[in-house]
Amino acid sequence: MRGAVIYGPGDVRVENLDDAMIVKPTDAVIRLAATCVCGSDLWDWRGINHVDQPTPMGHEYAGVVEAVGGDVENVKVGDFVIGSFFASDNTCPICQAGYQSSCVHREFVGGAQAGLLRVPLADGTLVATPGMPEPDLIPSLLAASDVLGTGWFGAVAAEVGPGKTVAVVGDGAVGLLAVLAAKQLGADRIIAMSRHASRQELAREFGATDIVEERGDAGVAKIMELTDGLGAHSVIEAVGTQESMMQAIHSTRAGGHVGFVGVSHDVEIPGEELFFSAVHLHGGPAPVRRFLPELIDLIWSRQIDPGKVFDLTLPLDDAAEGYKAMDERRAIKVLLQP
Amino acid sequence: MRGAVIYGPGDVRVENLDDAMIVKPTDAVIRLAATCVCGSDLWDWRGINHVDQPTPMGHEYAGVVEAVGGDVENVKVGDFVIGSFFASDNTCPICQAGYQSSCVHREFVGGAQAGLLRVPLADGTLVATPGMPEPDLIPSLLAASDVLGTGWFGAVAAEVGPGKTVAVVGDGAVGLLAVLAAKQLGADRIIAMSRHASRQELAREFGATDIVEERGDAGVAKIMELTDGLGAHSVIEAVGTQESMMQAIHSTRAGGHVGFVGVSHDVEIPGEELFFSAVHLHGGPAPVRRFLPELIDLIWSRQIDPGKVFDLTLPLDDAAEGYKAMDERRAIKVLLQP
């Protein structure tokens, strides 16, 4: 099979790799209908995460089950399935509490930018669609695998709901889909923080009622202006830097909720400031599995169209160009066709 | 009136001060039935908080209304009342959401280690008891003013409830009363972290089912051992140091809740660690006002006896000895009689 491998900063190559295979009886192998490049892949591409050795890339996937191990019961060959970047047993107390991305048996699912993918703990990880999807639904189903599930978790973690004013820090695919999630979850007002015209447009399409272009303290001041000086009830942090985290905390009213889903890099939260802010803070690797049945249903019934975040489609063999386009912010998110 | 004034580290003097008076029509003046020394007062005593100028001390109070301003409607002269360290209007959107300690009009109530105290925003701040309390109830009613309300908020912030295993980091008055709160809120199992025999005993009396003497990483390991390797559902942090905060975060299972009520000093929370812990984090200055009616009711009906945290009673004139006894951990909490 063909698959993308990173060798170092700015060096992603698509190569001939051994076909993914069943290793354990709880595995499934799926043939990818589509895969994509994640904002978090860019940490490796940029050299911020150190790459020790050539590493297969990609952790977002949707496709057809090609083979299952002897213990797999919940999915069968021929099913169209979606799963998350962390495989989970979905039965341990942590999974049962809805935190499948912290499952006691979790395994990272890597190497999804390829033709085939081995998924561990298939029974707990994969969710099948009601049937074979129309081709135009595939981008949205793929989005559910990570960016939609992550944006959705950010909104849930920020306790978005009716009567609330929501602010979203970050206009990448996750931030934009957090806007979509906030809309679905019934928020009254959704403020997207973005200074890119095309992203602002998509944010509005997904449900943003206000756009704030300012960042940092100026961005916070603008949110205060829009909320009678109190701050938003719910703020979703979808970047992962010190500036974005503090912007999120400072934009939230006392007693409000920050949901943070940007993978934190070199972030230190000052305890005293957090204390006196009196906000709630919750985040982490999104337990996408918790939300997959609901998200698949919303996509299947065409109530949401999260696939719109893919504004560039490339053949898998051009993966490196996909990374480059996202790194340079020429593309919001790149879909790769195996 | 007599009142305690801090001049610098280790230097608290009780002096003749001008009587507290009505300044604004929304004020009340109360004659203190009792007052006390708070763990947070020790930050000043120890020189960790810098004291710029001689400052009247004390922010915990219960007593009889002596005078009210022209706009005060909810309490009258002769009422026995309790209030919190932050005066609040109890009507702004932040108060209405239950965060009175972040009220948009909040004022710190200082100078309570005295015979008389001016309380701003009396209508929103003070809660009257059903009648004049029996003398033996006064320590408990005084505890409601801060340490009980703060321990209670810690438990609520940590989402303590039936079916949950709770750990409490810190065995000061707030930590011990967080144990009491956890018991009242229906926790299944309450682990108190303490290495002092007399505090362990009180923790057990308040409802602790387990005691852990280890601290830091060893304390975390012990909590893991007691919770099938998962961590507690709810952890209350009642110290305010880097070690106690990290101990609390690391002792909490993924998806669980940390309630932090120790005033953070030099605490920096590493973002990446918080991210991958997947815990909820909430704390701050306790909105004691939210809980006062319920707490007064529990005390009045003698269902709880939080006054037991006072293990040393001194005349107000001996306030300095009270600070010293708490600083040296000879006393859990010192009651001062004006």
Side-chain angles (χ1 to χ4, degrees), chain A residues 122-147:
Chain A
D123 273 346
T125 305
L126 297 172
V127 179
T129 55
M132 207 46 64
E134 298 291 329
D136 69 325
L137 286 183
I138 286 175
S140 287
L141 293 168
L142 175 63
S145 173
D146 181 353
V147 281

Side-chain angles (χ1 to χ4, degrees), chain A residues 267 269 271 275 279-282 284, chain B residues 267 269 271 275 279-282 284:
Chain A
V267 172
I269 303 162
F275 183 87
V279 304
H280 298 74
L281 192 55
H282 181 43
Chain B
V267 172
I269 303 164
F275 184 87
V279 304
H280 299 73
L281 192 54
H282 180 44

Side-chain angles (χ1 to χ4, degrees), chain B residues 1-3 30-33 111-117 316 338:
Chain B
M1 66 179 194
R2 301 287 285 168
I30 69 172
R31 180 166 299 277
L32 290 150
Q113 290 163 8
L116 295 163
L117 176 70
L316 173 61

Side-chain angles (χ1 to χ4, degrees), chain B residues 112-300:
Chain B
Q113 290 163 8
L116 295 163
L117 176 70
R118 172 185 164 246
V119 181
L121 301 170
D123 273 346
T125 304
L126 296 172
V127 179
T129 55
M132 208 45 64
E134 298 291 329
D136 70 323
L137 285 183
I138 286 174
S140 287
L141 293 168
L142 176 62
S145 173
D146 182 354
V147 281
L148 173 61
T150 295
W152 198 275
F153 173 59
V156 169
E159 303 248 331
V160 169
K164 300 234 180 142
T165 292
V166 180
V168 180
V169 180
D171 62 0
V174 171
L176 292 167
L177 290 170
V179 169
L180 180 152
K183 173 75 176 172
Q184 287 293 315
L185 293 166
D188 268 22
R189 193 173 185 186
I190 304 168
I191 306 167
M193 307 191 85
S194 171
R195 48 178 62 176
H196 296 82
S198 63
R199 292 162 191 251
Q200 291 176 1
E201 197 182 323
L202 193 49
R204 285 200 188 275
E205 203 174 323
F206 282 158
T209 54
D210 301 79
I211 302 285
V212 166
E213 297 207 339
E214 291 83 351
R215 281 188 196 169
D217 289 346
V220 172
K222 196 76 193 175
I223 298 288
M224 288 297 156
E225 200 185 307
L226 291 170
T227 56
D228 298 327
L230 300 175
H233 298 92
S234 299
V235 178
I236 300 153
E237 192 286 318
V239 182
T241 63
Q242 185 73 24
E243 183 186 65
S244 62
M245 179 61 100
M246 297 319 295
Q247 187 175 325
I249 292 171
H250 294 156
S251 297
T252 309
R253 68 180 58 195
H257 294 77
V258 177
F260 70 107
V261 289
V263 183
S264 303
H265 280 77
D266 296 325
V267 172
E268 295 277 343
I269 303 164
E272 196 172 351
E273 233 175 292
L274 185 67
F275 184 87
F276 285 103
S277 75
V279 304
H280 299 73
L281 192 54
H282 180 44
V288 176
R289 178 63 185 81
R290 189 204 310 178
F291 307 111
L292 274 180
E294 182 181 1
L295 299 180
I296 290 172
D297 185 56
L298 287 168
I299 293 164
W300 201 260

